[in-house]
Amino acid sequence: MARMKFLCDADRCIECNACVTACKNEHEVPWGINRRRVVTLNDGKPGERSVSMACMHCTDAPCAAVCPVNCFYTTADAVVLHSKDICIGCGYCFYACPFGAPQYPRVGNFGSRGKMDKCTYCSGGPEPDLSVAEYEKYGSNRLAEGKLPLCAEMCSTKALLAGDGEMIAEIYKQRVVKRGYGSGAWGWKTAYRETVAI
Amino acid sequence: MRRAVTLFSTLVLATTLLALPGAFEPAQAQNPQQQDGLNPMGTKPTADSVNEEFLFKQNSKITGRISIPDGKAANLIQPQGREYQSFRERYLPWIGAAFILGMLAALGAFFLWRGRILTDDTQDSGKKILRFNAFERFTHWMTAVCFIILSLSGLNYIFGKRLLMPLIGPEAFGALAQWAKYSHVYLAWPFMFGVAMMFVVWIKDNIPNRLDWAWIKAGGGFIGKKHPHAARFNAGQKGVFWMVAGFGAAMSVTGIMMLFPFALLDINGMQVMQVIHSLIGITFIAGILAHIYIGTLGMKGAYDAMGSGKVDLAWARAHHDLWVEQEQAKTASGPQLGRRHPAAAE
């Protein structure tokens, strides 16, 4: 089985936010929830770069470790998913997540913070694949249809890569060798305890 | 000779004048590549970028600019999440188990060694004196009920998935944990109110004084038969009072920060609040276990103070002799003696 990962080539990302919009539209996420976002570093300075970030589907995921109700599980493709039926909306996963991925509806209203929502790598949740219940809770399940996450699929500059970790690392390596530079695989060290060596 | 000198000086002057502008020339004329100031190394400008390693050297987390209103989304990577994970999963369960089971073991050992502390019968036995009025008892029990539910729902955050979940299954546990969470966030408010009220009502009797030192030196009546002098509250009870006030305040502050996440703190602040809340919570529970023990099983007659509010006069004289004198001096006829004037005691 593949080990699914995301890789954002910051030297290609133009901060168009199409990945963010595509994700919102594909999964019909509620207002205020951003499963994916684009962060611009060194904004307005030489060397400025933008990185598109969502759940990185970590190895030994901190969210899953700290969850007081063990609502997380890892799929055969190494995608980190969770069950909204078990989630209690305590918010611990957000404190543990290195990438700010978990999102909550109605944040700040004590006691009634809703179930956590996060990037599913376009692969739904524990409900049967492509069921209505799955779509309502977690959005579409593109992986079950044999497709990759929409954010990466429709990235106009192909900055955002999704797929098997080794394959996307190889694509990135070739790019770096060809153009002669690369700012690295953002977040990989924290998420997977390894980086793309070039 | 004179001509030669003049010629020489003219030469020197001329050379100097010629040389001077030349001396400054290299400093004034810049390298054409550096003229725009953007590309000092003469490399491809597009290749020049920030990278993770460089940013982590400047700061412990990577933060940028975000175009959505959610300000905390501007944090790109915060590896501190892994440290928080390590505390919560590796250390906290062991610390919690050690404190709470350690306290239960200590209380068990104390009970086996000392047994139930009894009061000798005197001519006062059977008479009652009002120790806590209805308002005091209400405040105490409101806070106590909240505390017990908060403790259990709090411990559920740490131990639930380890102890309860394997027994009842994930669905039932999820539903239970959801209600536990609601009880934790809603009962926090009457608890904080109760702690504040108890503080106001009892602080006048809980200022430490010289009697407390003597009480501690005498072993508080736990060791040996004789009870040292004590006013309304002895040093041990004062300790409980100040523990509840101090820990209650710390739990309230850290708890409010969590009830309104990110209102005042950033992600690292939130993590610190969690660590403090859990560590103090565990210590608080261990402390209250001792309080519950001595107020019920550990000492005969003590429970009546918070139960009916009226305690046996013999018990009161033995444990709070100075307070009994004070109360009886207030009203020589002794309306606080429940047996004679039951109505007045209520």
Side-chain angles (χ1 to χ4, degrees), chain A residues 15 34 37-43 47 49 59-60 62 65-70 87-89 92 94-98 110-111 113 115 179 181 183 185-187 190-191 193, chain B residues 44 46-52 62 64-66 68 73-78 81-82 84-85 88-89 157 161 165 173 177-178 181-182 185 189 259 261-262 267 270-271 274:
Chain A
E15 202 206 345
N34 285 278
R37 67 195 193 277
V38 180
V39 178
T40 304
L41 305 164
N42 257 23
D43 187 32
R49 285 296 180 275
T59 306
D60 174 29
V66 301
C67 179
V69 294
N70 280 348
C87 170
I88 58 169
Y92 288 8
F94 191 89
Y95 306 141
C97 177
F110 73 92
R113 176 158 58 181
K115 309 274 185 190
R179 70 182 174 218
Y181 59 86
S183 63
W186 291 86
T190 312
R193 302 190 194 279
Chain B
K44 269 189 196 167
T46 48
D48 214 27
S49 73
V50 287
N51 59 54
E52 240 179 88
I62 296 178
R65 179 188 57 77
I66 194 91
I68 52 173
N75 269 333
L76 186 67
I77 308 173
Q78 58 105 12
R82 290 274 190 191
Y84 167 73
Q85 172 196 354
R88 210 187 113 71
E89 297 306 309
Y157 284 117
K161 64 176 171 182
M165 200 174 186
F173 178 70
Q178 182 74 76
K181 190 207 139 188
Y182 286 144
V185 293
W189 299 98
L259 287 169
F262 299 95
I267 182 81
M270 293 302 299
Q271 290 161 344
Q274 285 251 301

Coordinates of all heavy atoms in Angstrom, one line a residue, chain A residues 15 34 37-43 47 49 59-60 62 65-70 87-89 92 94-98 110-111 113 115 179 181 183 185-187 190-191 193, chain B residues 44 46-52 62 64-66 68 73-78 81-82 84-85 88-89 157 161 165 173 177-178 181-182 185 189 259 261-262 267 270-271 274:
Chain A
E15 N 0.4 31.4 -4.1 CA -0.7 31.9 -3.2 C -2.0 32.3 -3.9 O -2.5 33.3 -3.6 CB -0.1 33.1 -2.4 CG -0.8 33.3 -1.1 CD -0.7 34.8 -0.6 OE1 0.1 35.5 -1.1 OE2 -1.5 35.1 0.3
N34 N -11.5 25.8 7.7 CA -10.5 25.8 6.6 C -9.7 24.5 6.8 O -8.8 24.5 7.6 CB -9.6 27.0 6.6 CG -10.3 28.2 6.1 OD1 -10.4 28.5 4.9 ND2 -10.9 29.0 7.1
R37 N -5.1 25.8 4.1 CA -4.9 27.3 4.0 C -3.6 27.5 3.4 O -2.7 26.6 3.3 CB -5.0 27.8 5.5 CG -3.8 27.3 6.3 CD -4.1 27.6 7.8 NE -2.9 27.4 8.6 CZ -2.4 26.2 9.0 NH1 -3.0 25.1 8.7 NH2 -1.3 26.2 9.7
V38 N -3.3 28.8 3.0 CA -2.0 29.1 2.4 C -1.4 30.2 3.3 O -2.0 31.2 3.6 CB -2.2 29.7 1.0 CG1 -0.8 30.0 0.4 CG2 -2.8 28.6 0.1
V39 N -0.2 29.9 3.8 CA 0.5 30.8 4.7 C 1.7 31.4 3.9 O 2.4 30.7 3.3 CB 1.0 30.1 6.0 CG1 1.8 31.1 6.9 CG2 -0.1 29.5 6.8
T40 N 1.8 32.7 4.0 CA 2.9 33.4 3.3 C 4.0 33.8 4.3 O 3.7 34.4 5.3 CB 2.4 34.6 2.5 OG1 1.4 34.2 1.7 CG2 3.5 35.3 1.7
L41 N 5.2 33.3 4.0 CA 6.3 33.6 4.9 C 7.2 34.7 4.4 O 7.3 34.8 3.2 CB 7.1 32.3 5.1 CG 6.4 31.1 5.6 CD1 7.2 29.8 5.3 CD2 6.0 31.2 7.0
N42 N 7.8 35.5 5.3 CA 8.6 36.6 4.9 C 7.9 37.5 3.9 O 8.4 37.9 2.9 CB 9.9 36.0 4.2 CG 11.1 36.1 5.1 OD1 10.9 36.1 6.3 ND2 12.3 36.1 4.5
D43 N 6.6 37.8 4.2 CA 5.7 38.5 3.3 C 6.3 39.9 3.0 O 6.7 40.6 3.9 CB 4.4 38.7 4.0 CG 3.4 39.3 3.0 OD1 3.5 39.0 1.8 OD2 2.5 40.0 3.5
G47 N 12.9 36.8 -0.8 CA 12.9 35.4 -0.4 C 11.5 34.9 0.1 O 11.4 33.9 0.7
R49 N 8.0 33.3 0.5 CA 7.5 32.0 0.0 C 6.1 31.8 0.6 O 5.8 32.2 1.7 CB 8.4 30.8 0.3 CG 9.7 30.7 -0.5 CD 9.4 30.5 -2.0 NE 10.6 30.4 -2.8 CZ 11.3 31.5 -3.3 NH1 10.8 32.7 -3.0 NH2 12.3 31.3 -4.0
T59 N 3.1 10.6 10.7 CA 3.5 9.3 11.2 C 3.5 9.5 12.7 O 4.0 10.5 13.2 CB 5.0 9.0 10.8 OG1 5.1 9.1 9.4 CG2 5.4 7.6 11.3
D60 N 2.9 8.6 13.5 CA 2.7 8.7 14.9 C 2.0 10.0 15.2 O 2.6 10.9 15.9 CB 4.1 8.6 15.6 CG 4.0 8.9 17.1 OD1 3.0 8.6 17.7 OD2 5.0 9.4 17.7
P62 N 0.3 13.2 16.5 CA 0.1 13.7 17.8 C -1.4 13.8 18.2 O -1.8 13.6 19.3 CB 0.7 15.1 17.8 CG 1.6 15.1 16.6 CD 1.0 14.1 15.6
A65 N -2.7 10.6 19.4 CA -2.1 10.3 20.7 C -2.8 11.0 21.8 O -3.1 10.4 22.8 CB -0.6 10.6 20.7
V66 N -3.1 12.3 21.6 CA -3.6 13.1 22.8 C -5.2 12.9 22.9 O -5.7 13.3 23.9 CB -3.3 14.6 22.7 CG1 -1.8 14.8 22.7 CG2 -3.9 15.2 21.5
C67 N -5.8 12.4 21.8 CA -7.3 12.3 21.9 C -7.8 11.6 23.1 O -7.4 10.4 23.3 CB -7.8 11.7 20.6 SG -9.6 11.5 20.6
P68 N -8.6 12.2 23.9 CA -9.1 11.5 25.2 C -10.1 10.4 24.9 O -10.4 9.6 25.7 CB -9.6 12.6 26.0 CG -10.0 13.7 25.1 CD -9.1 13.6 23.9
V69 N -10.6 10.4 23.6 CA -11.6 9.3 23.3 C -11.2 8.4 22.2 O -12.0 7.6 21.7 CB -13.0 10.0 23.0 CG1 -13.6 10.6 24.2 CG2 -12.9 11.0 21.9
N70 N -9.9 8.5 21.8 CA -9.4 7.7 20.7 C -10.2 7.6 19.5 O -10.6 6.6 19.0 CB -9.2 6.2 21.2 CG -7.9 6.1 22.1 OD1 -7.1 7.0 22.1 ND2 -7.7 5.0 22.7
C87 N -15.9 11.8 18.6 CA -15.2 13.1 18.9 C -16.1 13.8 19.9 O -17.3 13.9 19.7 CB -15.0 13.9 17.7 SG -14.5 15.6 18.0
I88 N -15.5 14.5 20.9 CA -16.3 15.3 21.9 C -16.0 16.8 21.7 O -16.4 17.6 22.5 CB -16.0 14.8 23.3 CG1 -14.5 14.9 23.7 CG2 -16.6 13.4 23.5 CD1 -14.3 14.7 25.2
G89 N -15.1 17.1 20.8 CA -14.8 18.5 20.6 C -14.1 19.2 21.7 O -14.3 20.3 22.0
Y92 N -8.1 19.2 22.2 CA -6.8 18.8 22.5 C -5.9 18.6 21.2 O -4.8 18.9 21.2 CB -6.7 17.5 23.3 CG -7.2 17.7 24.8 CD1 -7.7 18.9 25.2 CD2 -7.0 16.7 25.7 CE1 -8.2 19.0 26.5 CE2 -7.5 16.8 27.0 CZ -8.0 18.0 27.4 OH -8.4 18.1 28.7
F94 N -6.0 20.1 18.5 CA -5.5 21.4 17.9 C -4.2 21.8 18.7 O -3.3 22.3 18.1 CB -6.5 22.5 18.0 CG -6.1 23.7 17.2 CD1 -6.4 23.8 15.9 CD2 -5.3 24.7 17.8 CE1 -6.0 24.9 15.1 CE2 -4.9 25.8 17.0 CZ -5.2 25.9 15.7
Y95 N -4.2 21.6 20.0 CA -3.0 21.9 20.8 C -1.8 21.1 20.4 O -0.6 21.5 20.4 CB -3.2 21.8 22.3 CG -4.5 22.6 22.8 CD1 -5.3 22.0 23.7 CD2 -4.8 23.8 22.2 CE1 -6.4 22.7 24.2 CE2 -5.9 24.5 22.7 CZ -6.7 24.0 23.6 OH -7.8 24.7 24.0
A96 N -2.1 19.8 20.1 CA -1.0 18.9 19.7 C -0.6 19.0 18.3 O 0.6 18.7 18.0 CB -1.4 17.5 20.1
C97 N -1.5 19.4 17.4 CA -1.1 19.3 16.0 C -0.1 20.3 15.6 O -0.2 21.5 15.9 CB -2.4 19.6 15.2 SG -2.0 19.7 13.4
P98 N 1.0 19.9 15.0 CA 2.1 20.9 14.6 C 1.7 21.8 13.5 O 2.3 22.8 13.2 CB 3.2 20.0 14.2 CG 2.9 18.6 14.7 CD 1.4 18.5 14.7
F110 N -18.2 28.3 24.9 CA -17.8 27.2 25.8 C -18.8 26.1 25.9 O -20.0 26.4 26.0 CB -17.4 27.7 27.2 CG -18.6 28.2 28.1 CD1 -19.2 27.3 28.9 CD2 -19.0 29.5 28.0 CE1 -20.3 27.7 29.7 CE2 -20.1 29.9 28.8 CZ -20.7 29.0 29.6
G111 N -18.3 24.9 25.9 CA -19.2 23.7 26.1 C -19.9 23.3 24.9 O -20.4 22.2 24.8
R113 N -18.6 23.7 21.6 CA -17.7 23.6 20.5 C -18.0 22.3 19.8 O -18.1 21.2 20.4 CB -16.3 23.7 21.0 CG -15.3 23.5 19.8 CD -14.0 24.0 20.2 NE -13.4 23.4 21.4 CZ -12.3 23.8 22.0 NH1 -11.6 24.7 21.4 NH2 -11.8 23.2 23.0
K115 N -18.0 19.1 16.8 CA -17.1 18.0 16.5 C -16.0 18.6 15.6 O -16.2 19.4 14.7 CB -17.9 17.0 15.7 CG -19.1 16.5 16.3 CD -18.9 15.4 17.3 CE -20.2 14.9 17.9 NZ -20.0 14.0 19.0
R179 N 16.1 22.8 -11.7 CA 16.2 24.2 -11.6 C 17.3 24.7 -10.7 O 17.6 25.9 -10.7 CB 14.8 24.8 -11.1 CG 14.5 24.5 -9.7 CD 13.1 25.0 -9.3 NE 12.8 24.5 -8.0 CZ 11.6 24.1 -7.6 NH1 10.6 24.1 -8.4 NH2 11.4 23.7 -6.3
Y181 N 17.6 24.7 -7.3 CA 17.3 25.2 -6.0 C 15.9 24.6 -5.5 O 15.1 24.2 -6.3 CB 17.3 26.7 -5.9 CG 16.3 27.4 -6.8 CD1 15.0 27.6 -6.4 CD2 16.7 27.7 -8.1 CE1 14.1 28.1 -7.3 CE2 15.7 28.3 -9.0 CZ 14.4 28.5 -8.5 OH 13.5 29.1 -9.4
S183 N 13.3 25.1 -1.7 CA 13.3 25.5 -0.3 C 12.9 24.4 0.7 O 12.7 24.5 1.9 CB 12.3 26.7 -0.1 OG 11.0 26.3 -0.4
A185 N 11.0 20.4 1.6 CA 9.6 19.8 1.8 C 9.1 20.3 3.2 O 9.5 19.7 4.2 CB 9.7 18.3 1.8
W186 N 8.3 21.4 3.1 CA 7.9 22.0 4.4 C 7.1 21.1 5.2 O 6.1 20.5 4.8 CB 7.0 23.3 4.0 CG 7.9 24.3 3.4 CD1 8.2 24.5 2.1 CD2 8.5 25.4 4.1 NE1 9.0 25.6 1.9 CE2 9.2 26.2 3.1 CE3 8.5 25.8 5.4 CZ2 9.9 27.3 3.4 CZ3 9.2 27.0 5.7 CH2 9.9 27.7 4.8
G187 N 7.5 21.0 6.5 CA 6.8 20.2 7.5 C 7.1 18.7 7.5 O 6.6 18.0 8.4
T190 N 8.8 17.5 10.8 CA 7.9 17.4 11.9 C 6.9 16.3 11.8 O 6.5 15.6 12.7 CB 7.2 18.8 12.1 OG1 8.2 19.8 12.1 CG2 6.5 18.9 13.5
A191 N 6.4 16.2 10.5 CA 5.3 15.2 10.3 C 5.8 13.8 10.2 O 5.2 12.9 10.8 CB 4.5 15.6 9.1
R193 N 9.3 12.9 10.4 CA 10.6 12.7 11.0 C 11.6 12.4 9.9 O 12.6 11.6 10.1 CB 10.6 11.7 12.1 CG 9.7 12.0 13.2 CD 9.9 11.1 14.4 NE 8.8 11.2 15.4 CZ 8.6 12.1 16.3 NH1 9.5 13.1 16.4 NH2 7.6 12.1 17.1
Chain B
K44 N 20.9 33.6 -8.8 CA 19.5 33.7 -9.4 C 18.6 34.3 -8.3 O 18.5 33.6 -7.2 CB 19.0 32.3 -9.8 CG 19.3 31.9 -11.2 CD 18.5 30.7 -11.4 CE 19.0 30.0 -12.7 NZ 18.4 28.6 -12.7
T46 N 15.4 34.2 -7.9 CA 14.3 33.4 -7.6 C 14.7 32.2 -6.7 O 13.9 31.6 -6.0 CB 13.7 32.8 -8.9 OG1 14.7 32.3 -9.7 CG2 12.9 33.8 -9.6
A47 N 16.0 31.9 -6.7 CA 16.4 30.7 -5.9 C 16.6 31.1 -4.4 O 16.6 30.3 -3.6 CB 17.8 30.2 -6.4
D48 N 16.6 32.4 -4.2 CA 16.8 32.9 -2.9 C 15.5 32.8 -2.1 O 14.5 33.5 -2.4 CB 17.2 34.4 -3.0 CG 18.2 34.8 -1.9 OD1 18.9 33.9 -1.5 OD2 18.2 36.0 -1.6
S49 N 15.4 31.9 -1.1 CA 14.2 31.8 -0.4 C 14.4 31.5 1.1 O 15.4 31.0 1.5 CB 13.3 30.8 -1.0 OG 13.8 29.5 -0.7
V50 N 13.3 31.8 1.9 CA 13.4 31.3 3.3 C 13.2 29.8 3.3 O 12.6 29.2 2.4 CB 12.2 31.9 4.1 CG1 12.4 33.4 4.3 CG2 10.9 31.7 3.4
N51 N 13.8 29.2 4.3 CA 13.6 27.8 4.4 C 13.4 27.4 5.9 O 13.6 28.3 6.8 CB 14.7 27.0 3.8 CG 16.1 27.3 4.5 OD1 16.2 27.2 5.7 ND2 17.1 27.7 3.7
E52 N 12.9 26.2 6.1 CA 12.5 25.8 7.4 C 13.6 25.9 8.5 O 13.4 26.5 9.6 CB 12.1 24.3 7.4 CG 10.7 24.1 7.8 CD 10.3 22.6 7.6 OE1 10.5 21.8 8.6 OE2 9.8 22.2 6.6
I62 N 7.1 28.4 13.1 CA 7.1 29.2 11.8 C 5.7 29.8 11.7 O 4.7 29.2 11.6 CB 7.4 28.3 10.7 CG1 8.8 27.7 10.8 CG2 7.3 29.0 9.3 CD1 9.2 26.8 9.7
G64 N 3.5 33.0 9.5 CA 3.5 33.9 8.4 C 2.3 34.8 8.4 O 1.8 35.1 9.4
R65 N 1.9 35.1 7.2 CA 0.7 36.0 7.0 C -0.4 35.1 6.4 O -0.1 34.2 5.6 CB 1.0 37.1 6.1 CG -0.2 38.0 5.8 CD 0.0 39.1 4.8 NE 0.5 38.5 3.5 CZ -0.4 37.9 2.6 NH1 -1.7 37.8 2.9 NH2 0.1 37.4 1.5
I66 N -1.6 35.3 6.8 CA -2.7 34.5 6.3 C -3.8 35.5 5.8 O -3.9 36.6 6.3 CB -3.3 33.6 7.5 CG1 -4.2 32.5 7.0 CG2 -4.0 34.4 8.6 CD1 -3.5 31.3 6.6
I68 N -7.1 34.7 5.7 CA -8.4 34.4 6.3 C -8.5 35.0 7.7 O -7.5 35.3 8.3 CB -8.7 32.9 6.3 CG1 -7.5 32.2 7.0 CG2 -8.9 32.4 4.9 CD1 -7.8 30.7 7.3
A73 N -4.5 30.5 12.3 CA -4.1 29.7 11.2 C -2.8 30.2 10.5 O -2.2 29.6 9.7 CB -5.2 29.8 10.1
A74 N -2.3 31.4 11.0 CA -1.1 31.9 10.4 C 0.2 31.1 10.9 O 1.2 31.3 10.4 CB -0.9 33.4 10.8
N75 N 0.0 30.3 11.9 CA 1.0 29.4 12.4 C 1.2 28.3 11.4 O 0.2 27.5 11.2 CB 0.7 28.8 13.7 CG 1.2 29.6 14.9 OD1 2.1 30.3 14.8 ND2 0.5 29.5 16.0
L76 N 2.3 28.2 10.7 CA 2.5 27.2 9.7 C 2.9 25.9 10.4 O 2.3 24.8 10.2 CB 3.5 27.6 8.7 CG 3.6 26.6 7.5 CD1 2.4 26.6 6.7 CD2 4.8 27.0 6.7
I77 N 3.9 25.9 11.2 CA 4.4 24.7 11.9 C 4.8 25.1 13.3 O 5.5 26.0 13.6 CB 5.7 24.1 11.2 CG1 5.5 23.9 9.7 CG2 6.1 22.8 11.8 CD1 6.7 23.5 8.9
Q78 N 4.2 24.3 14.3 CA 4.6 24.5 15.7 C 5.0 23.1 16.2 O 4.1 22.3 16.7 CB 3.4 25.2 16.5 CG 2.1 24.5 16.5 CD 1.8 23.8 17.8 OE1 2.5 24.0 18.8 NE2 0.8 23.0 17.8
G81 N 3.8 21.1 19.5 CA 2.7 20.1 19.6 C 3.2 18.7 20.0 O 2.5 18.0 20.8
R82 N 4.4 18.4 19.5 CA 5.0 17.1 19.9 C 5.4 17.0 21.4 O 5.3 16.0 22.0 CB 6.2 16.8 19.0 CG 5.9 16.6 17.5 CD 5.5 15.1 17.3 NE 5.5 14.8 15.8 CZ 5.0 13.7 15.3 NH1 4.5 12.8 16.1 NH2 5.0 13.5 14.1
Y84 N 3.9 18.8 23.8 CA 2.6 18.7 24.5 C 2.1 17.2 24.5 O 1.6 16.7 25.5 CB 1.6 19.6 23.8 CG 0.2 19.4 24.3 CD1 -0.3 19.8 25.5 CD2 -0.8 18.8 23.4 CE1 -1.6 19.6 25.9 CE2 -2.1 18.6 23.8 CZ -2.5 19.0 25.1 OH -3.7 18.8 25.5
Q85 N 2.2 16.6 23.3 CA 1.8 15.2 23.2 C 2.6 14.3 24.2 O 2.1 13.5 24.9 CB 2.1 14.7 21.8 CG 1.9 13.2 21.6 CD 2.5 12.7 20.3 OE1 3.0 13.5 19.5 NE2 2.5 11.4 20.1
R88 N 1.4 14.9 27.8 CA 0.0 14.4 28.0 C 0.0 12.9 28.0 O -0.8 12.2 28.7 CB -0.9 15.0 27.0 CG -2.3 15.1 27.5 CD -3.3 15.5 26.5 NE -4.3 14.4 26.2 CZ -5.2 14.0 27.1 NH1 -5.3 14.6 28.2 NH2 -6.0 13.0 26.8
E89 N 0.7 12.2 27.1 CA 0.6 10.8 26.9 C 1.7 10.0 27.7 O 1.4 8.9 28.1 CB 0.6 10.4 25.4 CG -0.5 11.0 24.7 CD -1.9 10.7 25.3 OE1 -2.1 9.5 25.5 OE2 -2.7 11.6 25.6
Y157 N -10.6 12.6 31.0 CA -9.8 13.1 29.9 C -8.4 12.3 29.8 O -7.8 12.2 28.8 CB -9.5 14.6 30.1 CG -10.6 15.5 29.7 CD1 -11.2 16.3 30.7 CD2 -11.1 15.6 28.4 CE1 -12.2 17.2 30.4 CE2 -12.1 16.4 28.1 CZ -12.7 17.2 29.1 OH -13.7 18.1 28.8
K161 N -9.9 6.7 28.3 CA -9.7 5.8 27.1 C -8.8 4.6 27.5 O -8.8 3.6 26.7 CB -9.0 6.6 26.0 CG -7.6 7.2 26.4 CD -7.0 7.9 25.2 CE -5.7 8.6 25.6 NZ -5.1 9.3 24.4
M165 N -12.9 2.9 28.3 CA -13.2 2.6 26.9 C -13.1 1.1 26.5 O -14.0 0.5 25.8 CB -12.3 3.4 25.9 CG -12.8 3.5 24.5 SD -11.7 4.6 23.6 CE -12.6 4.8 22.1
F173 N -18.6 4.9 25.1 CA -17.6 5.8 25.8 C -17.6 7.2 25.2 O -17.5 8.2 25.9 CB -16.2 5.2 25.7 CG -15.2 6.0 26.3 CD1 -15.1 6.2 27.7 CD2 -14.2 6.7 25.6 CE1 -14.2 7.1 28.3 CE2 -13.3 7.6 26.1 CZ -13.3 7.7 27.5
A177 N -18.3 10.3 27.3 CA -17.2 11.4 27.4 C -17.8 12.7 27.0 O -17.4 13.8 27.5 CB -16.1 11.0 26.5
Q178 N -18.8 12.7 26.0 CA -19.4 13.9 25.6 C -20.2 14.6 26.8 O -20.0 15.8 27.0 CB -20.4 13.6 24.4 CG -21.0 14.9 23.9 CD -20.1 15.7 23.0 OE1 -19.8 15.4 21.9 NE2 -19.6 16.8 23.6
K181 N -17.8 15.9 29.3 CA -17.2 17.2 28.8 C -18.2 18.3 29.1 O -17.8 19.4 29.6 CB -16.8 17.1 27.4 CG -16.0 18.3 26.9 CD -16.2 18.6 25.4 CE -16.3 20.1 25.2 NZ -16.7 20.5 23.9
Y182 N -19.5 18.1 28.8 CA -20.4 19.2 29.0 C -20.5 19.5 30.5 O -20.5 20.6 31.0 CB -21.8 18.7 28.6 CG -22.0 18.8 27.1 CD1 -22.8 17.8 26.4 CD2 -21.4 19.8 26.3 CE1 -22.9 17.9 25.0 CE2 -21.6 19.9 24.9 CZ -22.3 18.9 24.3 OH -22.5 19.0 22.9
V185 N -17.5 21.6 31.6 CA -17.5 23.0 31.2 C -18.6 23.8 31.9 O -18.5 25.0 32.2 CB -17.5 23.3 29.7 CG1 -16.2 22.8 29.1 CG2 -18.7 22.6 29.0
W189 N -18.6 26.6 36.4 CA -19.1 27.9 36.9 C -19.7 27.9 38.3 O -19.2 28.7 39.1 CB -20.2 28.5 35.9 CG -19.6 28.6 34.5 CD1 -19.6 27.8 33.5 CD2 -18.7 29.7 34.1 NE1 -18.9 28.2 32.4 CE2 -18.3 29.4 32.8 CE3 -18.2 30.8 34.7 CZ2 -17.5 30.2 32.1 CZ3 -17.4 31.7 34.0 CH2 -17.0 31.4 32.7
L259 N -11.9 27.6 28.5 CA -13.3 27.8 28.1 C -13.4 28.8 26.9 O -14.3 28.7 26.1 CB -14.1 28.2 29.3 CG -14.4 27.2 30.3 CD1 -15.0 27.9 31.6 CD2 -15.3 26.1 29.8
P261 N -10.9 29.5 24.3 CA -9.6 29.2 23.8 C -9.1 30.3 22.8 O -10.0 30.9 22.1 CB -9.8 27.9 23.0 CG -11.3 27.8 22.8 CD -11.9 28.5 24.0
F262 N -7.9 30.7 22.9 CA -7.2 31.7 22.1 C -7.8 33.1 22.2 O -7.5 33.9 21.4 CB -7.3 31.2 20.6 CG -6.6 29.9 20.3 CD1 -7.4 28.7 20.3 CD2 -5.3 29.9 20.1 CE1 -6.8 27.5 20.1 CE2 -4.6 28.6 19.9 CZ -5.4 27.5 19.9
I267 N -1.1 29.5 20.8 CA -1.1 28.1 20.9 C -0.2 27.6 22.0 O -0.6 26.7 22.8 CB -0.7 27.4 19.5 CG1 -0.7 25.9 19.5 CG2 0.7 27.9 19.0 CD1 -2.1 25.3 19.4
M270 N -1.9 28.1 25.3 CA -2.9 27.1 25.5 C -2.3 25.8 26.1 O -2.9 25.2 27.0 CB -3.7 26.9 24.3 CG -4.5 28.0 23.8 SD -5.8 28.7 24.9 CE -6.8 27.2 25.2
Q271 N -1.2 25.4 25.5 CA -0.6 24.2 25.9 C -0.1 24.3 27.4 O -0.3 23.4 28.2 CB 0.6 23.9 25.0 CG 0.2 23.5 23.6 CD 1.3 23.7 22.6 OE1 2.3 24.3 22.8 NE2 1.2 23.0 21.4
Q274 N -3.0 24.0 29.8 CA -3.4 22.6 29.9 C -2.5 21.8 30.9 O -3.0 21.0 31.7 CB -3.3 21.9 28.5 CG -4.3 22.3 27.6 CD -5.3 21.1 27.4 OE1 -4.8 20.0 26.9 NE2 -6.5 21.3 27.8

